[in-house]
Amino acid sequence: MTRYSAADIEAKWQEAWDKAGIFQATRTADKPKYYVLEMFPYPSGRIHMGHVRNYTMGDVVARYKMSTGHNVLHPMGWDAFGMPAENAAMAIGGHPKEWTYNNIADMRGQMKPLGLSIDWSREFATCDPEYYGQQQALFLDFLEKGLVYRKNAVVNWDPVDMTVLANEQVEAGRGWRSGALVERRELTQWFFKISDYSDELLSALDTLDNWPAKVRLMQENWIGKSRGLQFAFERTDGAEPITVYTTRPDTLNGASFVGISPDHPIAKAMEADDADLAEFLAECRKGGTTAEAIETAPKLGRDTGIRVKHPLNPDWELPVWIANFILMDYGTGAIFACPAHDQRDLDFCRKYDLPVVDTFFALDDSTPVATEAFVPPKEQKVKWVSHFAGLDEATGDEAINATIDLAEKDGWGEGVTKFRLRDWGLSRQRYWGCPIPVVHCDACGVVPEKKENLPVELPDDVSFDKPGNPLDRHETWRDCACPACGKPALRETDTMDTFVDSSWYFARFTAPRAETPTDMAEAEYWMNVDQYIGGIEHAILHLLYSRFFARAMNICGHLPDSAKEPFDALFTQGMVTHEIYQTRDENGRPVYHLPEDVEDGKLKATGEALEIIPSAKMSKSKKNVVDPVSIISAFGADTARWFVLSDSPPERDVEWTAAGAEAAHKHLSRVYRVSAEIAAMDDAATGEDEALLREMHKAIDEVTKGVESFGFNAAIAKLYGFTNTLAKSKAGGAAKKQAAKTLAQLMSPMTPHLSESVWEMLGGTGLATTAPWPVADAAMLVEDSVTLPVQVNGKRRAEISVPKDMDKAEVEKIALAHEAVQRVLNGGAPKKVIVVPGRIVNVVA
RNA sequence: GCGGGCGUGGUGGAAUGGUAGACACAGGAGACUUAAAAUCUCCAGGCCUUAGGCCGUGCGGGUUCGAGUCCCGCCGCCCGUACCA
């Protein structure tokens, strides 16, 4: 008998599948389609266990759907633009393009041995001119429909390197290379008008039944629809009033000051002839652009000297302060502060000694606010100190509505709905991205490039020896003729955010070689993605941008109406985590090391001791990645696939450990060995046949349910159990062969190569991969008797075995008669007996 | 700071409000073997002296006949926070 040799059988079966062409997605009328997609990878150069886990899950779904009679589309591509390629060019020389395509070739080579059921004929990379040229066409269509525009927005500015930094390149407020204190600076940039769709993107979340509730909730909060009051404060100096937006107008009687953002036009106007104030604003603009940096920065404020009148009491004057925690992007960039009921306002008022006035108290506690603001939920009833609408006890919601009504009636304000969602800034001051296809002409202004001139290709002759965008320095590329008037003009040198690339690749997969962005007939057949699988880290941005893009593409005629929500079902897998190994360089900055370079907490090469940082998401920058290639060469792809599915529920994070791989391999060897033994048996029946076949049908039932519900780990646990049953069963050859063939089929989505070999040795017809999925016989799942636990006061005291449909009174009698129950009752009569049929008996003593 | 999630043996984890720890890993004992590997069988949450009992799902409360599961308040960790992908 031959032993299980993954290396031999995996190559053999991959060749057989290839030859049969079974993974090519084809449109036929006789079968329903199924589109399964895993979020495509960034080509870092090495696949890691997170990829293996992600693609194996998708592969299980794809293979299962194939064997249940679907035309399956299961494509793969590369999210190939982005910063790491430029960083590599700067660090080690070479060209981003070469680096990226080499990485893609390497990763494809590492991925293919996994035996995934991918239609490789549809592969593309987002950095292929054929792809990004179509993306430029989309941009021009969006521009025509008014979905793209330009405005100013702040970026991280490194004043030493004189360059824009990504948030990731800002560490503790300093540029990662120069170490200079980062400032916020305004640039004119391109924006997608995603805010046009705020309300629709919000309300359509309700239709996404097969998305995780947590993702829908996160998107809902991100879009952040709020109803509030917008009104203006009259200035005592008669200048233009200051318009504010507030979601808590009911607390207007607790107003302490009016606050404006450091980026507010009033602040900017004053800056010009007030050096002192200019210095203060420069201080406010220090640090990065992230919400976190802004909101956790120490509170800074300055009195502008401007005074405004309270809208409800003209004699009540409020000071106008500039405060660094007020965002220009949200609302009107100006607020009124009510410190008693907002922690940020309170912290600010305590720091600058501004008044704190309570406007309401809890029903049972009238302690004035000291250091903690009183912020009850808006549904909670509170006791009002004084409310201008005459309220005494009312909820926040009631008070807000009353205030808006009052303001509208008296004409000093109006109720407005606002969204937290901002327009999507897509401009990047970088080389390795999709060029924005417009030209700047002195005479004509901003002019779109003509579609026949697409793609606007990136030039290859660039250098990365200086900071900043090489396109800015590339004169022969930058200088061009205006598409409108033909005079000399300048090409836009900003490229697109890489989120643009990933916002429509799923649509492109339906017709990857089309000479328009999509092919309607193909899109209509294959869209939507029936099952999308990816990391929870994409819960908001990528998925929201893709939902916007699907709508925008629909408006431009690139997707059908039915594809406005492009992902029917979403599954967010947990991340693969790993410890981080770090040393420090001479400046005390962290240097990271790959797990394969580490042994016993020391660097293999030098023996230097390492700091071990607890598990975090595997990331290229932290180097805490594990190489699946060594697992595959040692044990085979099936072992790797089996292991990543078996040890952890798919939605949860999994900590990679090498320990389990060997056990998985042992089990697969056992399946192979047991199957070979069974193949050699004669077919005589025994009295054990039925028991085995009953177990087989239970396995079919449970594994099918597991695969359909992403309960892969549970399905695998059942397969372990069924393998044990099969190995120990005294059933005859015919029954055991049937059971073993079924086992092979049930394992096939997870361990396709092993399953083909088992299928073959047991005389299965054709390929196991294309054989119809087994169906459980309901009659074989029914049990005659059932074991019930008996509890007394919620503690288990006994177990009884009764016929499945015995009536409650009879069950109760048997339970009470049990010796252990009698002992606990100690002669007393039970107060109550609860019988849950088929489940449990609970005696209340 | 804000939004979302998670927390169960030595380890990964299982459990429609109904027997907590399935299935594995690591560990222990045994069989086979000259020996080893491989394979097979059995044990295994903690505590108490056994029959048996008590405790036990991050911590503190609550709802329920019954809570890992639902509610309230904490603690810890993870993800996102709009220029990482």
Side-chain angles (χ1 to χ4, degrees):
Chain A
M1 181 185 31
T2 57
R3 284 172 53 121
Y4 172 53
S5 164
D8 295 336
I9 69 168
E10 291 183 358
K12 170 183 158 183
W13 292 114
Q14 283 172 23
E15 207 184 307
W17 298 329
D18 231 21
K19 217 168 128 193
I22 52 176
F23 303 140
Q24 294 247 340
T26 45
R27 290 165 59 188
T28 61
D30 60 324
K31 289 181 183 177
K33 68 92 189 180
Y34 197 90
Y35 183 3
V36 54
L37 183 66
E38 304 101 44
M39 291 179 185
F40 67 166
Y42 179 81
S44 60
R46 305 295 293 176
I47 62 168
H48 57 66
M49 291 317 298
H51 293 125
V52 174
R53 195 175 187 219
N54 187 207
Y55 307 137
T56 303
M57 287 180 197
D59 203 42
V60 170
V61 174
R63 287 173 175 274
Y64 170 71
K65 289 294 172 182
M66 181 181 295
S67 65
T68 52
H70 296 79
N71 285 328
V72 172
L73 172 57
H74 185 206
M76 181 60 67
W78 310 95
D79 190 11
F81 276 134
M83 290 201 311
E86 290 190 37
N87 294 341
M90 279 182 254
I92 58 173
H95 194 280
K97 182 174 173 178
E98 200 182 328
W99 184 86
T100 301
Y101 281 104
N102 284 342
N103 282 353
I104 289 173
D106 289 347
M107 280 180 81
R108 191 194 300 112
Q110 293 156 30
M111 222 187 263
K112 286 218 168 168
L114 281 169
L116 302 169
S117 64
I118 286 166
D119 179 356
W120 286 101
S121 73
R122 291 175 186 253
E123 177 190 357
F124 61 76
T126 55
C127 64
D128 296 341
E130 295 75 22
Y131 182 80
Y132 72 71
Q134 297 303 332
Q135 185 162 302
Q136 291 168 343
L138 286 179
F139 178 92
L140 295 178
D141 288 347
F142 290 6
L143 188 61
E144 203 180 304
K145 295 283 182 192
L147 291 166
V148 197
Y149 69 103
R150 296 218 303 164
K151 71 169 178 183
N152 283 353
V154 290
V155 294
N156 301 304
W157 182 256
D158 185 322
V160 171
D161 278 352
M162 302 290 281
T163 188
V164 175
L165 298 179
N167 286 336
E168 194 188 49
Q169 297 171 318
V170 179
E171 290 164 1
R174 290 173 182 274
W176 67 340
R177 286 180 200 286
S178 68
L181 283 170
V182 167
E183 299 161 13
R184 291 192 290 272
R185 175 177 279 212
E186 283 199 334
L187 288 183
T188 303
Q189 310 204 62
W190 287 96
F191 283 81
F192 287 125
K193 254 189 146 239
I194 190 172
S195 62
D196 275 3
Y197 292 86
S198 300
D199 225 348
E200 194 190 327
L201 289 168
L202 177 66
S203 59
L205 287 171
D206 288 341
T207 67
L208 301 176
D209 298 331
N210 293 314
W211 281 40
K214 66 179 169 188
V215 175
R216 287 180 290 165
L217 185 57
M218 279 190 258
Q219 293 213 354
E220 183 183 327
N221 291 334
W222 184 261
I223 294 168
K225 185 176 185 171
S226 65
R227 181 165 163 78
L229 183 71
Q230 188 159 306
F231 65 97
F233 282 99
E234 301 283 343
R235 284 170 63 157
T236 56
D237 59 9
E240 192 75 6
I242 299 172
T243 301
V244 302
Y245 172 75
T246 176
T247 57
R248 289 311 297 258
D250 53 325
T251 63
L252 199 44
N253 273 344
S256 181
F257 66 95
V258 168
I260 62 173
S261 164
D263 300 313
H264 195 279
I266 291 175
K268 285 187 178 167
M270 293 176 73
E271 180 177 23
D273 40 37
D274 184 340
D276 219 34
L277 186 71
E279 199 179 309
F280 170 75
L281 291 178
E283 190 63 31
C284 287
R285 288 179 191 131
K286 278 198 182 130
T289 59
T290 64
E292 186 187 4
I294 290 165
E295 290 198 37
T296 55
K299 303 255 179 310
L300 290 178
R302 163 152 319 205
D303 189 348
T304 59
I306 299 169
R307 295 293 176 267
V308 295
K309 296 179 197 167
H310 196 283
L312 296 165
N313 178 358
D315 297 331
W316 183 357
E317 285 187 8
L318 293 167
V320 178
W321 283 66
I322 298 169
N324 66 339
F325 64 90
I326 301 171
L327 304 170
M328 194 58 221
D329 288 318
Y330 185 67
T332 60
I335 61 154
F336 81 82
C338 179
H341 308 298
D342 183 291
Q343 192 62 45
R344 287 178 306 181
D345 295 352
L346 182 63
D347 294 344
F348 190 89
C349 287
R350 290 301 184 215
K351 177 165 179 182
Y352 291 105
D353 204 20
L354 291 155
V356 175
V357 182
D358 298 284
T359 65
F360 55 75
F361 292 108
L363 294 181
D364 56 358
D365 182 4
S366 298
T367 315
V369 161
T371 55
E372 249 178 74
F374 177 50
V375 192
K378 286 181 191 170
E379 310 81 57
Q380 187 178 316
K381 204 169 238 194
V382 292
K383 191 172 60 193
W384 293 84
V385 175
S386 75
H387 190 276
F388 30 85
L391 296 169
D392 177 26
E393 283 188 5
T395 67
D397 281 325
E398 288 161 354
I400 290 165
N401 290 333
T403 309
I404 293 174
D405 291 347
L406 183 80
E408 289 186 338
K409 184 165 69 76
D410 295 345
W412 55 269
E414 59 172 337
V416 293
T417 297
K418 286 207 190 289
F419 294 90
R420 189 181 158 277
L421 178 65
R422 308 201 295 254
D423 277 335
W424 171 10
L426 68 114
S427 300
R428 297 292 181 271
Q429 295 70 42
R430 272 185 271 283
Y431 166 77
W432 193 233
C434 173
I436 295 173
V438 299
V439 167
H440 300 273
C441 171
D442 281 341
C444 311
V446 177
V447 183
E449 185 54 85
K450 290 180 180 158
K451 275 204 180 165
E452 61 260 36
N453 293 336
L454 300 185
V456 175
E457 278 200 58
L458 286 170
D460 286 339
D461 53 332
V462 287
S463 70
F464 294 88
D465 43 7
K466 288 178 231 163
N469 182 357
L471 294 178
D472 270 339
R473 307 190 289 262
H474 195 297
E475 291 179 12
T476 57
W477 187 81
R478 201 182 58 196
D479 296 341
C480 64
C482 171
C485 68
K487 286 188 200 137
L490 293 177
R491 210 171 270 298
E492 168 82 51
T493 56
D494 282 357
T495 52
M496 295 187 203
D497 178 9
T498 56
F499 271 122
V500 181
D501 311 335
S502 56
S503 290
W504 71 287
Y505 77 108
F506 50 88
R508 185 71 182 167
F509 274 137
T510 65
R513 315 289 170 232
E515 296 195 353
T516 45
T518 59
D519 174 319
M520 261 304 200
E522 297 287 346
E524 271 174 358
Y525 179 77
W526 289 113
M527 288 297 286
N528 295 340
V529 177
D530 293 278
Q531 182 65 60
Y532 196 32
I533 306 168
I536 185 67
E537 67 271 27
H538 295 294
I540 296 174
L541 292 180
H542 162 62
L543 290 164
L544 194 62
Y545 290 158
S546 296
R547 296 176 62 217
F548 161 70
F549 244 69
R551 286 168 170 78
M553 288 175 74
N554 170 253
I555 299 280
C556 302
H558 297 301
L559 280 177
D561 288 349
S562 55
K564 279 189 201 170
E565 280 299 341
F567 311 123
D568 278 354
L570 172 70
F571 186 86
T572 55
Q573 55 167 106
M575 284 171 296
V576 179
T577 62
H578 199 281
E579 292 174 327
I580 297 169
Y581 307 111
Q582 125 182 341
T583 55
R584 304 243 171 206
D585 69 10
E586 60 275 15
N587 299 320
R589 282 191 235 156
V591 178
Y592 300 106
H593 302 279
L594 292 164
E596 63 223 49
D597 297 333
V598 171
E599 204 169 53
D600 301 330
K602 295 196 175 82
L603 260 184
K604 267 189 204 167
T606 63
E608 193 181 348
L610 293 154
E611 285 177 63
I612 298 177
I613 299 171
S615 279
K617 172 175 127 178
M618 286 192 177
S619 83
K620 300 161 281 286
S621 58
K622 297 277 163 62
K623 290 201 176 175
N624 60 336
V625 290
V626 162
D627 188 5
V629 171
S630 57
I631 304 296
I632 295 171
S633 61
F635 301 113
D638 282 342
T639 293
R641 295 169 60 115
W642 184 259
F643 177 72
V644 294
L645 294 175
S646 66
D647 232 25
S648 202
E651 69 276 13
R652 219 188 286 187
D653 288 357
V654 61
E655 162 97 31
W656 170 258
T657 64
E662 196 150 341
H665 185 253
K666 247 189 223 177
H667 178 73
L668 300 190
S669 304
R670 182 168 186 235
V671 169
Y672 189 91
R673 190 176 60 248
V674 168
S675 301
E677 284 163 14
I678 290 172
M681 288 174 75
D682 66 51
D683 287 354
T686 78
E688 302 288 321
D689 288 6
E690 182 175 333
L692 177 63
L693 294 179
R694 279 186 175 274
E695 282 305 312
M696 181 188 86
H697 282 279
K698 271 193 218 163
I700 294 171
D701 185 53
E702 285 187 38
V703 172
T704 304
K705 283 178 183 155
V707 168
E708 283 185 347
S709 65
F710 276 81
F712 303 128
N713 56 328
I716 283 182
K718 183 64 192 176
L719 287 165
Y720 268 109
F722 181 51
T723 305
N724 283 333
T725 304
L726 177 61
K728 288 177 193 171
S729 167
K730 299 282 190 288
K736 289 193 103 171
K737 282 173 196 171
Q738 190 191 346
K741 272 170 74 178
T742 302
L743 175 65
Q745 279 191 283
L746 296 178
M747 289 175 72
S748 176
M750 297 127 182
T751 57
H753 314 86
L754 169 70
S755 290
E756 291 287 5
S757 287
V758 171
W759 182 256
E760 182 185 52
M761 74 173 86
L762 290 163
T765 313
L767 292 165
T769 302
T770 50
W773 192 253
V775 178
D777 179 352
M780 296 288 270
L781 302 176
V782 181
E783 302 279 358
D784 310 331
S785 75
V786 54
T787 302
L788 294 183
V790 182
Q791 296 182 335
V792 180
N793 292 334
K795 277 190 205 290
R796 192 179 72 94
R797 298 295 177 179
E799 223 170 55
I800 57 174
S801 184
V802 296
K804 188 174 174 291
D805 39 15
M806 179 180 264
D807 71 60
K808 281 190 184 185
E810 199 68 18
V811 173
E812 183 175 329
K813 210 162 37 171
I814 293 171
L816 288 175
H818 196 282
E819 177 256 341
V821 176
Q822 284 298 318
R823 181 157 22 86
V824 179
L825 286 176
N826 200 18
K831 286 195 191 118
K832 191 175 171 187
V833 178
I834 291 144
V835 178
V836 183
R839 278 287 177 194
I840 201 166
V841 180
N842 192 12
V843 179
V844 186

